[in-house]
Amino acid sequence: MSSRPASPHDLVLTTAEATASAENLRLLNEALSQIILGKERVVRLAVTSLLARGHLLFEDQPGVGKTLLSQALAQSLGLQFRRVQFTSDLLPADILGASIYDREAGSFTFHQGPVFTQVLLADEINRATPKTQSALLEAMEEGKVTCDGTPHALPVPFFVIATQNPSTQIGTFMLPESQLDRFLMRLALGAPERGAERVMLQGQDRREMLRAMAPVMSWTELAHMQQLARLVHVSEPLLDYLQDLLAASRSGGHGMSPRAGLALLAAARAWALMEGRVMVLPEDVQAVAGSVMSHRLAGGLAEVERLLDEVAVP
């Protein structure tokens, strides 16, 4: 009689696997931090988002290094990178692709748009119309593009890094809450602190450094670590803590959705693996909470901090 195949619930993350993963991720973070100076925590959170299989949203002023970080992430993993500048006249077909009639063949042929890449930088996403925004976000959710009833699978991995200008800038169409929820994290780089900025001003051009940057690990290695992140153990008390945070966020009516809860758990698992742990601790949840929760709550980061202060830690 054949034995039952092991399910994901039967698999256990070993200490050796967690330690080896943490070391590889440390090298990745160090390589990225040589390009993006003085932003080690933001870099770690960006890697955490990728490790948790989530898309990333940057909301910041132009010129602080969002594009550079996006390119560095792709290059450090040997992934294909493309950038799309979102504008008010950008159409869904400009991103997704379109079927064009081929006279010689006598039929329509689908021509892939720039979304068919592994790392896509959607630059200034809130300058495009809601219709164009929705087209990209649907591709993010489904992992495919449908044209004339025919589905076209997107590459694996497919990781979107979108940038969003502050709402105070003219000509922006802010993402609605339902679309913000598609992004695992929202981050801000901000200007570097004085010491890091001095090194940047006196040192080698960061784009020259990027061109010379060799991959730190392969996509296959990262995909394996993504699988390991899902095996990081979550105890019953930790789940109680997570549910208490979700319940507290809903006490005023609108709060965190179940999908947001899953996002927070995935990010906490990824952060724990980066720390070399085989189980999630409350500090792992706290480390990622601001980035995962702030764009899903009306009160933003201030509300996240209030929830972390008020909810008892197991």
Side-chain angles (χ1 to χ4, degrees):
M1 182 177 179
S2 62
S3 60
R4 178 178 60 88
S7 73
H9 299 290
D10 298 325
L11 302 177
V12 176
L13 175 65
T14 67
T15 301
E17 289 174 323
T19 301
S21 296
E23 176 60 19
N24 289 333
L25 291 165
R26 182 187 66 79
L27 295 174
L28 176 60
N29 282 313
E30 284 186 356
L32 293 170
S33 294
Q34 290 175 5
I35 304 293
I36 308 297
L37 295 178
K39 298 296 177 181
E40 288 81 5
R41 177 172 172 79
V42 178
V43 166
R44 282 172 61 87
L45 285 166
V47 172
T48 298
S49 184
L50 182 56
L51 193 60
R53 305 172 190 251
H55 303 290
L56 185 59
L57 176 66
F58 278 104
E59 184 172 303
D60 220 327
Q61 299 291 337
V64 295
K66 302 182 296 294
T67 300
L68 195 62
L69 176 55
S70 304
Q71 291 175 310
L73 268 172
Q75 193 158 325
S76 65
L77 297 166
L79 299 177
Q80 181 187 21
F81 173 85
R82 299 182 82 171
R83 174 182 175 271
V84 176
Q85 178 64 50
F86 278 59
T87 57
S88 59
D89 59 350
L90 192 72
L91 299 174
D94 296 330
I95 305 169
L96 307 182
S99 290
I100 299 176
Y101 186 72
D102 186 333
R103 290 185 178 180
E104 293 183 3
S107 61
F108 285 89
T109 302
F110 179 70
H111 291 255
Q112 296 181 349
V115 74
F116 286 85
T117 187
Q118 293 174 310
V119 178
L120 176 69
L121 175 61
D123 211 1
E124 298 185 308
I125 189 173
N126 59 330
R127 289 203 179 277
T129 61
K131 183 176 181 179
T132 302
Q133 293 174 2
S134 297
L136 172 61
L137 293 166
E138 183 179 357
M140 290 164 52
E141 183 76 8
E142 301 294 333
K144 64 182 180 181
V145 169
T146 301
C147 184
D148 297 329
T150 302
H152 303 272
L154 292 170
V156 177
F158 177 60
F159 184 54
V160 173
I161 302 175
T163 70
Q164 176 169 272
N165 293 327
S167 58
T168 53
Q169 294 194 4
I170 298 173
T172 59
F173 300 87
M174 300 307 293
L175 294 174
E177 294 173 359
S178 60
Q179 294 183 359
L180 283 173
D181 199 38
R182 306 290 178 89
F183 291 95
L184 178 68
M185 290 185 180
R186 181 178 65 179
L187 300 174
L189 271 170
E193 57 89 22
R194 189 177 180 87
E197 188 171 44
R198 177 62 64 92
V199 173
M200 189 185 307
L201 292 170
Q202 293 180 326
Q204 184 180 359
D205 182 82
R206 312 329 282 179
R207 296 198 176 278
E208 289 181 5
M209 293 179 65
L210 179 64
R211 284 192 286 270
M213 184 182 192
V216 178
M217 68 175 72
S218 67
W219 159 242
T220 304
E221 291 173 308
L222 182 67
H224 176 62
M225 283 187 280
Q226 287 181 329
Q227 293 174 341
L228 294 181
R230 292 183 169 187
L231 299 180
V232 176
H233 178 67
V234 181
S235 66
E236 292 296 327
L238 195 284
L239 286 175
D240 289 338
Y241 177 56
L242 185 62
Q243 285 193 285
D244 289 343
L245 281 172
L246 297 175
S249 76
R250 299 165 185 156
S251 60
H254 175 71
M256 297 272 286
S257 68
R259 178 166 60 184
L262 291 171
L264 182 56
L265 181 59
R269 276 180 154 142
W271 187 272
L273 183 66
M274 196 175 297
E275 294 292 322
R277 289 196 283 270
V278 297
M279 68 179 296
V280 179
L281 300 181
E283 52 257 44
D284 299 318
V285 176
Q286 295 162 356
V288 300
S291 303
V292 175
M293 298 171 65
S294 62
H295 61 293
R296 294 177 163 97
L297 297 174
L301 189 57
E303 187 172 351
V304 177
E305 292 173 349
R306 178 185 66 80
L307 292 171
L308 292 177
D309 287 339
E310 293 179 359
V311 175
V313 178

